[in-house]
Amino acid sequence: FGDSVETGRRSKLYAWKAAMRTVGNAVGPIVSICIFALLSDQWNVRNLTAVMLCGMAVATIPCTMLFYMLDSRALGQLSESLLVSVAA
């Protein structure tokens, strides 16, 4: 991820990534509560399975996106640090 972004532009993308992670951490439990509310709010195997399957279905989206990250698209020197290392 970081090697595919030019130095100086990473901050915005890492902030976006952190925001999306926070949204996901908030929305996931809310969706689980809604599913339990729709399914009579009882902790049995049927309801727990429904909640787990919904979560796994949503998780396939980012997992599928990982297939499009290729090392051949890395930027090499353009993605290196702005600081020049000095050999002592």
Side-chain angles (χ1 to χ4, degrees):
F1 172 75
D3 289 342
S4 299
V5 180
E6 292 179 20
T7 301
R9 294 185 52 215
R10 287 188 193 146
S11 297
K12 180 180 178 181
L13 292 176
Y14 276 109
W16 180 255
K17 179 182 168 189
M20 291 298 103
R21 181 178 293 163
T22 301
V23 168
N25 287 340
V27 171
I30 292 169
V31 170
S32 296
I33 290 169
C34 292
I35 293 171
F36 275 121
L38 290 172
L39 298 176
S40 72
D41 196 22
Q42 293 185 6
W43 288 70
N44 55 40
V45 175
R46 180 181 160 270
N47 292 352
L48 293 172
T49 301
V51 171
M52 292 296 293
L53 288 175
C54 287
M56 289 189 307
V58 171
T60 59
I61 296 168
C63 289
T64 303
M65 292 170 73
L66 290 174
F67 287 109
Y68 295 100
M69 295 187 129
L70 304 173
D71 286 338
S72 62
R73 294 183 183 166
L75 296 178
Q77 290 297 323
L78 289 174
S79 68
E80 293 300 320
S81 173
L82 291 174
L83 299 175
V84 178
S85 62
V86 179

